[in-house]
Every structure is written in structure tokens, then in C-alpha cells.
Amino acid sequence: MRILVVGGGGREHAIIKALKKCRDCGEIFCAPGNGGIAKDATLVDIGAKDIEKIRDFAVENKIDFCVVAPDDPLVMGAVDLLNEAGIRTFGPDKKAAIIEGSKAFSKDLMKKYGIPTAAYETFDNVDKALEYVKTCSIPVVVKADGLALGKGVLICETRDEAVSAVKTIMEDKAFGKSGDKVVIEEFLTGPEVSVLSFTDGNVVVPMVSSMDHKRALDGDKGLNTGGMGTIAPNPYYTEEVAEECMEKIFLPTIRAMKAEGRTFRGCLYFGLMITPDGPKVIEYNCRFGDPETQVVLPLLESDLLDIMLKTYEGTLSPEDVKFSDGCACCVVMASEGYPVSYEKGFPITMPEDRNIYVAGAKLEDGVLKTSGGRVLGVTETAPTLREAIDKAYETVSHVSFANAYYRKDIGKRALEAEK
Ligand code: AMP
Ligand code: GLY
């Protein structure tokens, strides 16, 4: 089968490497991909948000199966366009992708169907929002309604911070139209767990759990980023928690979406917090997480293409999805200064025989050079978490580029929790 993967980061590289191992996988194209992905797929010079051009490319090049990975094209309706053109595509349609595209939608869905989440209020009027934060309990979390590259969530420790958060989002429009509405919600505490799942709209099959490290600096300090590293499985996600999540969160969400006429097919990501009152939903994503995918897919033993096709066709069953008992660790190597400002264009040297996913690099005269904030996702698997972490950092020691920055404590909290 000729396959087109839409997107161009470390997540897409991990998806492509997993697809290459599949029985029916033929040539893989990637739009736009990146200089590192070029080794594993034929790059197509079309941006992920250029969804009409993507559809035209898929039709003209007789693509048999398409995977749309990033949030933007999914929320814009890329899957609808591709399906209408007769291209079988993995991913939710526009109606279902709203579960990530609008936080107000997802919060209202959870309220309506009794799915555990933080208490909240939604505002589309700045004065009302400011009025509310005068009296609400503190700390409080202020979120832009729409997509904001993972940066539209402001955790406010004081009332003044809450006031300026509302102003930043609704008046200054720091996240553009995504800030036309805000969700203001209760601050929850507890360890976070990411669970990606395959769902065909009826059956939901969770993948191995994982833990992201969102903050830029060691010890979970510094700014929020897209993710500085991941481990899998997440030790906080015990069998007991998993059962509770299936019963109270995963199945109710799939059924709720179907009942709303928004049947979700694809990868549904549950961002969970294990609070003292049990697991609650922090966010839904309508896609594979980045860098969660980089630790989850290396542990998948089943044929990813087969799973994706069954998800598309609506014939998925839990037996189709098998993971190994092993562990994985991904250390993100970023450009110093990420997520704010950073220099790029530096040559990268890295070992050929290790599992390194390329997130932000381009080829210039055959030389791979840094081109983004997150540059590489160095990933290793091993029978235990300790070994996976040690192996990943060992591989990191063989990689070099100017201005490289990475966290030294990926997996540390998970190791402590294991004890
Ligand atoms: P989100 O983009 O919604 O996943 O939020 C980004 C991060 O903000 C999450 O990973 C949490 O660490 C934190 N966060 C979001 N909502 C809450 C909440 N209600 N209580 C505490 N932390 C939160
Ligand atoms: N790593 C979190 C996300 O993909 O949104």
C-alpha cells in the first residue's frame, strides 16, 4: 500500500518507522516531513495545514491510505476532504476533532455525560470572566478555548495572575481567535498520566500508558513546552486505575461522542490526572501525543497499519493491539532557549544504529541541521524502566549539535513512584 503521513515532527517519524515494519506497507510519503524523516519516507513539499493540496496530492499519487497526525489539519477537516475524495484515512473527521479543537465543547460534553473532570465555567465576555476571577477559589486555571500549541493554559497562583491571564487571552489575544472564549477551571492535583487509545467509534483499546515531562527545566521547573521527554509505561497507571478509567472515562467518552453524532475514529488521547478523588480528564487530544508516541509505538508488537485500517473500517477488536511488557524512554534534545527563542542551523552528528526520531531538522547540501525548538527524540526500550532511561542517556552522549539542551531527569519521578 502507498501511504501518506501528514505532519513533520518526531511523532510523525515514530509513526513512519512503525508503519515501515508492517506487512502491507509500500512506499511512504510524508507532507511536509523533515530532513531526518527523509531517510524513511519520500518528502512532499506541502504544509500540514494545506489540506486541499494534501487531498489533491493523495488523489494524483494514488495513495491507498493516509494518516493525518497533527491537531490543526484534523480540526480543519482534512479527514473529511480525503474521505470525500475516496482516500481511506486514519483520524477523526472535523465533527469529532472538536473534542480537542474546543475546550468549551469538551468540558460541556464531560459535564453532560458525567465524565470526571475539573469543575469549570466558560466565558465569551471578558468583563464576566474578570468578575468571576474576583471571587473564585485560587489557584485557578485559565484556558484559551481553541488550539494554542499547548501554550494556552495558564495556571494562576494568585488572583492578580488570574486577572492578567484573562486579559492576556481575551483582550491581548495572545492566542488569536482561540481566545475568543475562555474556560476557567478548578486547580487539580496529582500525578499526570497520558493514555493514547485506538477507537473505531464503538470499541476503545488503550495503548500502553506514558508520562510526559512538559516543563522546560529539570525538577519540573520553567515554562511549559510541547514535551521534553516521556517514559512508558506510567507507574501511576495501575491496573486498578486503568479499570476505573475504562469504566468512568474511556467508554463514556466514546459513547458520548457517538450519541452527539460525532463518532470518533482514530487515536483519542486522554490526558488524565490521578487526583485524591480518582482519575479526572485534564484534556482530550484528537491525535497521537508528541512525544508520547515516541515511547508508545516502539513497544507495539502488533501491525500498526492493520490496526489503523481496522480503526478506519470500524472493525477494531482488543485482540488486534498487543504491546510488549518492556519499557521505553524518550529524551528530547532541544535547541537551548526553547520554548521562547533559539538559534538554529547547526549541523547534527548522531549514531546511525540507534533509535532517534527527528523532530526539527532540515537537510542542507546533504548535511542534517537543526531547524526547530525540539530537534531530536532519542528513544530506547529495555526490559526495565531503569535500563531504558540509562540506555537513552547513553545514546544522548553520542549525539552532538551546537546549542543542544535536554533535561537530565526524564523518568526520575517514575522511578521514584515504582519503589
Ligand atoms: P493542557 O494543555 O490542557 O493539557 O494543560 C497543560 C498542563 O497544564 C497540563 O498538563 C497540566 O499539567 C496543567 N493543567 C491543566 N489543567 C489543569 C487543572 N485543572 N489543574 C491543574 N493543572 C492543570
Ligand atoms: N505531549 C502532549 C501533546 O501532544 O499534546
Side-chain angles (χ1 to χ4, degrees), residues 103 107 118 141 143 150-153 155 185-189 192 214 224 273 282-283:
K103 290 195 194 287
K107 295 296 289 190
V141 186
K143 302 185 173 186
K151 293 177 192 146
V153 173
I155 295 176
E185 69 178 35
E186 167 198 14
F187 177 75
L188 299 177
T189 55
E192 287 184 56
K214 284 205 164 87
N224 258 324
M273 198 172 263
I282 289 281
E283 65 162 348

Side-chain angles (χ1 to χ4, degrees), residues 7-27:
R11 163 185 54 203
E12 287 76 10
H13 201 184
I15 291 171
I16 287 166
K17 283 206 186 191
L19 286 172
K20 277 179 82 176
K21 294 193 287 191
C22 298
R23 196 192 54 208
D24 293 330
C25 179
E27 183 167 9

Side-chain angles (χ1 to χ4, degrees), residues 336-359:
E336 176 90 57
Y338 171 74
V340 183
S341 62
Y342 43 84
E343 287 180 69
K344 46 197 187 184
F346 301 112
I348 304 169
T349 45
M350 58 185 194
E352 292 293 321
D353 56 339
R354 304 290 177 98
N355 194 37
I356 299 176
Y357 300 120
V358 179

